[in-house]
């Protein structure tokens, strides 16, 4: 055979061998493709029952090699024995579509990742064992893996390939905690949903992460009261929703389009023996919950004013000799946090209940409802002086005992430098229609006699900068008596406090009762001076103005007081904060006239029950006018805040 023929023969042989091998591979892949689902299903079920203490099962798995798609349905991971029959994990659907061509380039690109109807239930039994820590059979968890984790070429750490996913959808992810350690079973649950478009994990170790539109939602949150407390849930939340049009986690600024919180509620309860539900709830996670045989008296703690100043400085309320001042460290360029811009945030339909049955004579209950809070332009971790402050507004209604009318609180403010020490704050607060009976025994009889009234309206102004604060508060009672109740000025670490003498008994009982602080609450480093009482004769703090705007003017107003008020307001922040009392009295200029049952009459000229009824019925319109004044007062406060 010639050399040419030999060469052709060898080529024909190689082509035949290659063709045969290709046919074998195709046939093998065809057989594998037809049986891969069955093989995978069998092996996964085997692994679940080999390694897991409670075993598990998988209903179905669909692997489409040519399409790069995997779908898992009906995955169950049972809880270990003695942890109940509820599965630890129950997954209805998991689907992943991978772009196979991307694997050739050392990255992973996927069209879709879907996770639907996942339930996770974590249980602690009556001996303190936690199900998730006992999910793997003894001995199996200690088995060493034969594979080594991939390492990047320059040995700088674990190599994580670039990952890109066009669409991520997590729907109805439910998480439940059940605690059986105490006599009364405790539980908590929530639901999560997540939608992300165009996620790019380019370099996770260096925070090189980008994504398009994102929506995160938390709903159905419920936290039971701890053992020994029989009331509505400790906390609940209808829904929390966060939206962004796109995030770059490596950029100097990230923008959140909106945050919405709907239907949050919290119930704080102090029982007769002084047991606080929040502390008891903490014991659930810190160790066994035991019923106390004896109740120890509360330990002496720093006073309320000192604790307030400690909060302003970021302390934890320790005594001065226990506090060590630490200069804040300047973050390096590598560790500097990005600015987070929240365009709009809204809290609605909130509720808070505070009940304290440990107080002398009679406990108190403060059911607060219709809590609303709106924030726009909030910038977190932004220290630039030129950055504008966020606008804040809030309100709530307080249900009062003994058929008293509802009281209202409104708040307006500007806030900046949030997240970098104590923020810069300008704020105006208005309280309208508050009844002394709401605080029960917290208001001593001597204070009630001194005030000589059943209800009050209050104005509060606050300005805080990095070094000092200026807080001023006043009340105007339903008897037209004004009290300059409290004024706090000066540096954050050594402010001067001026307080009207009528408040001493009230604050003393509040600090020893509601807050359970020490007896030295009032005089702990505070300079207290008794204030004066001014009776504004002829000045109505509010009015019933039937059929007319409440802001159309006043009749019979004391011109001297009003003239003085105008001068103080014109002088800027110093007097708009210090003159908050005056703003209250100036309400007479706006709503000083009263129309009762169709006839013009000065509110201050009413007597007895007629005066009280008019004051009670006028709460809503007074509050509307008070918030109008608060807005005007806030606009006079310079930013950054001036506290001198």
């Amino acid at each position: 055979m010639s050399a040419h023929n030999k060469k052709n023969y060898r080529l024909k042989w190689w082509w035949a061998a290659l063709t045969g091998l290709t046919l074998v591979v195709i046939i093998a892949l065809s057989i594998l493709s037809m049986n891969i689902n069955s093989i995978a299903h069998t092996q996964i079920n085997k692994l679940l029952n080999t390694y897991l203490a409670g075993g598990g099962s998988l209903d179905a798995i669909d692997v489409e090699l040519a399409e790069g798609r995997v779908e898992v349905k009906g995955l169950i991971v049972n809880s270990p024995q003695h942890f109940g029959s509820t599965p630890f994990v129950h997954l209805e659907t998991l689907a992943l579509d991978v772009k196979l061509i991307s694997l050739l380039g050392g990255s992973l690109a996927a069209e879709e990742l879907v996770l639907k109807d996942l339930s996770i239930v974590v249980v602690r039994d009556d001996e303190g064992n936690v199900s998730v820590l006992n999910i793997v059979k003894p001995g199996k968890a200690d088995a060493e893996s034969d594979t080594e984790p991939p390492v990047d070429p320059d040995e700088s750490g674990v190599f994580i390939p670039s990952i890109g996913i066009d669409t991520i959808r997590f729907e109805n992810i439910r998480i439940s905690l059940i605690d059986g350690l105490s006599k009364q079973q405790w539980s908590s649950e929530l639901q999560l949903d997540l939608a992300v478009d165009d996620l790019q994990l380019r370099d996770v170790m260096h925070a090189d992460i980008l994504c398009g539109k994102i929506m995160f939602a938390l709903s159905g949150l419920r936290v039971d009261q701890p053992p020994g407390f029989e009331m509505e849930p400790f906390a609940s939340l209808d829904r929390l929703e966060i939206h962004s049009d796109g995030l770059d986690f490596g950029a100097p600024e990230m923008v959140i389009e909106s945050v919405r919180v709907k239907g949050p509620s919290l119930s704080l309860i102090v029982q007769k023996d002084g047991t606080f539900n929040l502390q008891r709830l903490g014991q659930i996670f810190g160790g066994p919950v035991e019923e106390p045989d004896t109740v120890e008296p509360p330990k002496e703690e720093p006073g309320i004013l000192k604790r307030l100043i400690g909060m302003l400085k970021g302390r934890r309320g320790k005594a001065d000799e226990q506090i060590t001042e630490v200069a804040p460290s300047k973050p390096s360029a590598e560790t500097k946090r990005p600015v987070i811009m929240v365009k709009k945030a809204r809290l609605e339909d909130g509720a808070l209940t505070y009940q304290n049955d440990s107080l002398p004579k009679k406990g108190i209950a403060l059911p607060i409802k219709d809590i609303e809070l709106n924030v726009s332009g909030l910038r977190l971790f932004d220290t630039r002086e030129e950055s504008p402050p966020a606008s804040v507004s809030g309100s709530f209604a307080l249900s009062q005992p003994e058929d008293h009318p509802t009281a209202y609180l409104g708040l307006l403010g500007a806030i900046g430098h949030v997240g970098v020490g104590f923020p810069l704050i300008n704020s105006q607060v208005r309280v309208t229609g508050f009844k002394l009976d709401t605080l029960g025994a917290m208001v001593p009889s001597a204070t009630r006699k001194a005030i000589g009234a059943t209800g009050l309206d209050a104005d509060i102004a606050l300005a805080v900068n990095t070094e000092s604060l200026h807080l001023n508060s006043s009340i105007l009672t339903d008897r037209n008596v004004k009290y300059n109740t409290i004024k706090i000025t000066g540096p954050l670490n050594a402010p001067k406090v001026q307080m009207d003498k009528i408040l001493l008994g009230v604050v003393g009982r509040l600090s020893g009762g509601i807050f359970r602080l020490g007896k030295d609450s009032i005089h702990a480093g505070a300079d207290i001076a008794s204030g004066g009482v001014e009776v504004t004769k002829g000045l109505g703090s509010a009015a019933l103005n039937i059929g007319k705007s409440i802001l159309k003017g006043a009749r019979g107003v004391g011109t001297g007081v009003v003239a003085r008020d105008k001068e103080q307001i014109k002088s800027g922040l110093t007097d708009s904060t210090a003159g908050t009392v005056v703003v209250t009295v100036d309400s007479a200029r706006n709503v000083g006239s009263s129309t009762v049952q169709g006839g013009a009459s000065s509110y201050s000229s009413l007597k007895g029950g007629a005066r009280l009824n008019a004051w009670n019925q006028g709460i809503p319109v007074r509050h509307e006018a008070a918030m109008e004044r608060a807005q005007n007062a806030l606009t006079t406060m310079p930013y950054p805040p001036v506290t001198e």
Side-chain angles (χ1 to χ4, degrees), residues 86-367:
T86 304
F88 167 60
V89 172
H90 188 180
L91 171 64
E92 285 297 327
T93 303
L94 170 63
L96 175 64
D97 283 332
V98 178
K99 300 176 183 178
L100 296 178
I101 192 67
S102 67
L103 300 177
L104 300 177
S107 62
L108 175 62
E111 293 182 0
E112 186 179 49
L113 173 62
V114 176
L115 191 64
K116 288 184 179 181
D117 299 325
L118 171 64
S119 172
I120 301 174
V121 180
V122 179
V123 180
R124 182 167 69 169
D125 64 17
D126 55 2
E127 296 181 355
N129 300 311
V130 181
S131 60
V132 68
L133 301 179
N134 296 273
I135 203 70
V136 180
K137 287 182 178 180
K140 298 295 184 181
D142 300 330
E144 296 183 0
S145 174
D146 295 332
T147 60
E148 295 291 336
V151 179
D152 59 359
D154 59 1
E155 299 183 355
S156 62
V158 176
F159 172 72
I160 300 178
S162 173
I163 300 174
I165 305 176
D166 294 344
T167 302
I168 297 177
R169 295 293 183 268
F170 291 173
E171 301 176 8
N172 192 24
I173 312 301
R174 302 180 305 279
I175 301 175
S176 301
L177 305 177
I178 300 176
D179 185 77
L181 185 59
S182 59
K183 297 178 182 178
Q184 176 185 331
Q185 181 174 288
W186 174 90
S187 65
S188 175
E189 62 185 14
L190 59 85
Q191 176 181 321
L192 302 175
D193 295 273
L194 176 67
V196 182
D197 293 339
D198 193 22
L199 176 65
Q200 300 292 327
L201 305 177
R202 298 192 297 198
D203 188 349
V204 177
M205 304 304 294
H206 295 88
D208 189 0
I209 303 172
L210 299 90
C211 70
K213 287 188 176 182
I214 181 171
M215 186 282 295
F216 171 80
L218 185 155
S219 59
L221 173 66
R222 180 190 56 78
V223 180
D224 283 350
Q225 289 285 358
F229 290 82
E230 303 288 346
M231 279 191 69
E232 65 273 5
F234 169 77
S236 65
L237 174 67
D238 290 344
R239 190 170 180 85
L240 162 67
E241 199 166 297
I242 302 174
H243 289 266
S244 176
D245 287 342
L247 296 175
D248 181 352
F249 290 86
E253 180 171 309
M254 295 189 291
V255 179
I256 305 295
E257 304 300 322
S258 65
V259 177
R260 181 171 178 259
V261 183
K262 181 175 177 57
S265 69
L266 181 65
S267 178
L268 301 176
I269 303 172
V270 181
Q271 294 179 332
K272 289 184 178 181
D273 61 1
T275 304
F276 188 21
N277 65 343
L278 184 59
Q279 294 175 335
R280 180 62 63 88
L281 189 62
Q283 293 174 358
I284 291 179
F285 302 99
V289 179
E290 299 178 355
E291 296 296 331
D293 296 330
T294 59
V295 180
E296 296 182 1
K299 294 181 180 180
E300 201 73 14
E301 298 185 23
I304 184 173
L305 296 174
K306 183 174 290 186
R307 289 171 65 88
L308 172 62
I309 302 306
M311 291 171 61
L312 293 177
K313 298 200 68 177
R315 302 172 175 174
R316 301 177 66 90
K318 298 180 181 179
D320 281 348
E321 59 273 12
Q322 296 175 311
I323 296 175
T324 302
E325 296 289 352
V326 179
S329 59
K330 296 182 178 180
S332 63
E334 292 80 7
T335 61
K336 186 176 181 180
R337 290 171 294 188
V339 174
I340 299 177
M341 168 68 170
V342 182
K343 290 185 177 181
K344 292 182 179 180
R346 176 174 174 79
L347 182 151
E348 57 188 35
D349 299 331
L352 170 64
T353 299
Y354 176 80
Q355 179 176 322
N356 192 331
D357 296 327
S358 68
L359 302 177
K361 296 183 180 180
K362 183 181 180 181
I364 64 171
L366 301 176

Side-chain angles (χ1 to χ4, degrees), residues 408-410 430-432 618-628:
Y408 299 94
L409 178 142
R430 301 294 182 264
V431 180
T432 310
I619 291 174
V621 293
R622 287 206 316 278
H623 189 65
E624 181 183 345
M627 295 310 299
E628 179 82 10

